[in-house]
Amino acid sequence: MEIAGLPTPALAESWSTVNPTTVRLKMRSGVVFHDGTPLTAAVAASALTHATQAKPVPRALATVGLAASSVDSVTLELRTTEPDPMLLQR
């Protein structure tokens, strides 16, 4: 977040709103885990899916009906059941 409270890219280079319930994020290239495994859209989607299926679901995700999928190796798509203007701040 920047000082004004707006989201700024970190693990994503950019994002776009496809429709009121869908956001696509372009993952930053060159990001790796401590063991050298690259961070891809598929890995990010898997982690978010796992989080939404946890018991209990993390509070930030509990009410958004989030579904995550990879469009390609660098594009992560987030879908919610209802429009969520705060999605990028979660």
Side-chain angles (χ1 to χ4, degrees):
M1 296 272 187
E2 63 180 26
I3 293 173
L6 299 173
T8 56
L11 294 177
E13 289 182 354
S14 61
W15 56 82
S16 61
T17 301
V18 176
N19 60 52
T21 60
T22 307
V23 174
R24 283 196 180 145
L25 297 96
K26 181 178 179 193
M27 306 301 294
R28 187 172 304 284
S29 63
V31 176
V32 296
F33 290 96
H34 71 283
D35 65 355
T37 303
L39 175 63
T40 64
V43 170
S46 177
L48 286 167
T49 298
H50 179 75
T52 62
Q53 295 171 351
K55 301 292 182 211
V57 174
R59 186 180 311 165
L61 302 177
T63 61
V64 298
L66 183 71
S69 61
S70 59
V71 175
D72 56 39
S73 65
V74 297
T75 308
L76 173 66
E77 185 170 275
L78 304 177
R79 292 175 314 283
T80 57
T81 54
E82 299 289 329
D84 183 2
M86 298 300 292
L87 181 61
L88 294 176
Q89 284 87 356
R90 294 184 184 275

